[in-house]
Amino acid sequence: MSTISVKQEKVILITGASRGIGACTAILLAKQGHKIIINYANNDQEAEHIVKKIQMNGGIATAFKANIGHSNEVIQLFEYAFETYGRLDVLINNAGIMYLDKIEDVDDQSIDQILAINLKGAVYTMREAAKRLTYGGKIINLSSSVVGLRPEGYGVYAASKAAIESLTAILAKELRGKNITVNAIAPGPTATELFLKGKSDELIEQLAKAAPLERLGTVEDIAVVLAFAVNEESNWINAQVLRVNGGIV
Ligand code: NDP
């Protein structure tokens, strides 16, 4: 089994990196010299755009389309990572979707999709990473501050992210002996399509004012914390959830 030496560039798989937090994190980590695999589910053009942007800055990245809600596609994604770069050091489990409904109104399809992608998809990628990540590697999961806030209408989504926090702590224990850390980053409201879609300007303004810092998070606010979680400075942090939200909870 290979070992990561201090300051070595890493091979990093970011799920859901064609847009939003994942895309910004991919660009930042590539600038730091890491090799990136950009996973996505639908948007070929946006994924290719991020790859080109990284390559134009002198970085190394490739994209691979795989729906993380399907375990066979997750296996293909990991195969691709190993075929392309020969190893995998870091998994950033970022792909996610959100539908908002009160529990009494939520339909079966929304429940199934949220659990298929946010929960089952994350388990599929964690399972492959647990088997195949380099000694000394890192798994970073995306939770959400709604696990603490518990806002009405977020029931199924918040439950899917609460599960991520449980999985984070348990997988960290199960990986004893491999020197692999498992942590979760839990953003608050962040200006991406996932958060903005379907909300009125008034509601967005209200949610932006909810944190003591009185603004929405930006993708850069989250990407810098994910980069910290990837790099050597955070090596002693394990089995933790870090909320990044301007103090909203
Ligand atoms: P976006 O909607 O901006 O981007 C979602 C990304 O996930 C896209 O790249 C999309 O790919 C990809 N994706 C969606 N479904 C799948 C799938 N089945 N398989 C593979 N990729 C998929 O989301 P954000 O950047 O806002 O969110 C990123 C993560 O952060 C999510 O886990 C989210 O729950 C979490 N989060 C976000 C917050 C926010 O306020 N924005 C707050 C707290 C947590 P494609 O372009 O192909 O559709």
Side-chain angles (χ1 to χ4, degrees), residues 16 18-19 21 41-43 67-68 94 143 157 161 187-188 190 192:
S18 52
R19 298 183 279 121
I21 292 167
N42 304 295
N43 275 303
N67 181 341
I68 62 150
N94 167 77
S143 178
Y157 174 76
K161 293 301 189 179
T190 307
T192 68

Side-chain angles (χ1 to χ4, degrees), residues 68 118 160 222 228 243:
I68 62 150
N118 293 7
S160 74
I222 310 303
F228 167 71
R243 289 183 181 154

Side-chain angles (χ1 to χ4, degrees), residues 94-156:
N94 167 77
I97 59 166
M98 183 172 78
Y99 302 122
L100 303 182
D101 266 314
K102 284 191 173 175
I103 292 165
E104 68 178 30
D105 297 325
V106 68
D107 58 48
D108 290 1
Q109 200 189 0
S110 301
I111 300 170
D112 287 347
Q113 283 188 4
I114 290 177
L115 296 183
I117 296 169
N118 293 7
L119 173 53
K120 290 172 75 177
V123 176
Y124 295 149
T125 54
M126 277 188 247
R127 181 169 65 188
E128 290 311 302
K131 287 181 201 161
R132 305 191 66 173
L133 227 57
T134 313
Y135 182 90
K138 295 185 177 211
I139 299 172
I140 303 151
N141 296 319
L142 267 287
S143 178
S144 167
S145 292
V146 297
V147 172
L149 279 166
R150 299 174 181 169
E152 289 166 41
Y154 283 74
V156 178

Side-chain angles (χ1 to χ4, degrees), residues 68-104:
I68 62 150
H70 297 151
S71 60
N72 59 329
E73 295 187 35
V74 169
I75 291 168
Q76 287 163 9
L77 172 62
F78 276 72
E79 285 300 319
Y80 173 80
F82 279 85
E83 278 163 18
T84 308
Y85 297 122
R87 65 174 208 276
L88 188 62
D89 305 315
V90 177
L91 165 67
I92 302 183
N93 237 330
N94 167 77
I97 59 166
M98 183 172 78
Y99 302 122
L100 303 182
D101 266 314
K102 284 191 173 175
I103 292 165
E104 68 178 30

